[in-house]
Amino acid sequence: MSRIRIAVTGAAGGVGSTLVKTLGESGEYDVVAIVRNGLGACTLGQVNAEIRVGSVSDPEASRQLLAGCSAVINCALPKGWPRSPRKVNDAILRNIANAADVRAAVHFSSVAVYGQCVDPRLNSFERPRPTSEYGAEKLRSESICAQRPCTSMCQVLGTWIS
C-alpha cells in the first residue's frame, strides 16, 4: 500500500508550518507544503516535505499544486481578511473540492465562529453565533465546505460529510 500524500495549504503560516513539520517528522506521510511565494518557502526552513510555490486560488495552478495529493489540509488565509479576499477564499475552497486526486479535505476554521465567549446558553456547535467579521467569514467558509457537491470528503467541525 502506498503512503498518503497530504498537501498543506497555507504552509508558511503558524498552524500550517506546525502541521508540515509534525506530519513530516512522523514519517507516516508524504507531505507537500504549499506556499504562495518564495519568501513563504524560505520561512519553512528544513522540513521533511516537498515545497510547492503558487496560488491554490488559481484553477490552473491549483491542479499542479495539488497533483498527486490524496488529502488536503486547508490552512490558507487570504490577505486582507475578512471581506476583501472573499472571492479568493471561495476559489481556494472550490479548487480543493474539484482537485482530481483529492479524496479527503480538512478545512481549518476558528473558534471565532462562536463569538468572543463560548456560552452554551447562547451558542453551540449546532448554533454558532460569531460576533466579528472574521468569525462570520470563517462560518461562511464552513457552510461552503459542507454544501460542496464533490466526490471527496470534507471535514468540517470534526464531522465527516460527503
Side-chain angles (χ1 to χ4, degrees):
M1 186 167 124
S2 63
R3 290 165 31 118
I4 296 173
R5 181 176 300 268
I6 300 175
V8 178
T9 63
V15 173
S17 62
T18 300
L19 278 169
V20 167
K21 182 179 177 186
T22 302
L23 291 170
E25 287 176 353
S26 77
E28 296 180 43
Y29 309 99
D30 292 327
V31 181
V32 175
I34 300 177
V35 296
R36 275 189 287 246
N37 54 48
L39 180 60
C42 290
T43 64
L44 285 174
Q46 296 290 340
V47 292
N48 186 18
E50 175 186 348
I51 299 174
R52 297 180 185 175
V53 179
S55 176
V56 181
S57 66
D58 177 80
E60 187 174 324
S62 70
R63 284 190 284 281
Q64 295 173 356
L65 293 167
L66 298 172
C69 298
S70 56
V72 177
I73 301 174
N74 179 30
C75 301
L77 181 65
K79 297 292 184 188
W81 200 250
R83 287 195 178 167
S84 62
R86 183 174 279 181
K87 288 182 182 178
V88 174
N89 192 50
D90 290 354
I92 290 169
L93 298 175
R94 182 175 51 252
N95 293 337
I96 289 171
N98 294 331
D101 298 327
V102 173
R103 298 291 169 255
V106 177
H107 173 72
F108 265 70
S109 189
S110 169
V111 71
V113 301
Y114 304 107
Q116 293 180 358
C117 180
V118 177
D119 181 341
R121 296 170 297 170
L122 300 175
N123 54 39
S124 64
F125 286 119
E126 296 80 23
R127 195 182 63 227
R129 294 178 58 176
T131 56
S132 67
E133 287 186 41
Y134 173 78
E137 187 63 21
K138 281 296 200 174
L139 182 59
R140 192 183 79 76
S141 295
E142 287 181 12
S143 296
I144 289 170
C145 290
Q147 296 170 13
R148 184 65 62 202
C150 60
T151 56
S152 63
M153 294 181 288
C154 297
Q155 188 179 36
V156 179
L157 292 176
T159 304
W160 284 102
I161 59 172
S162 56

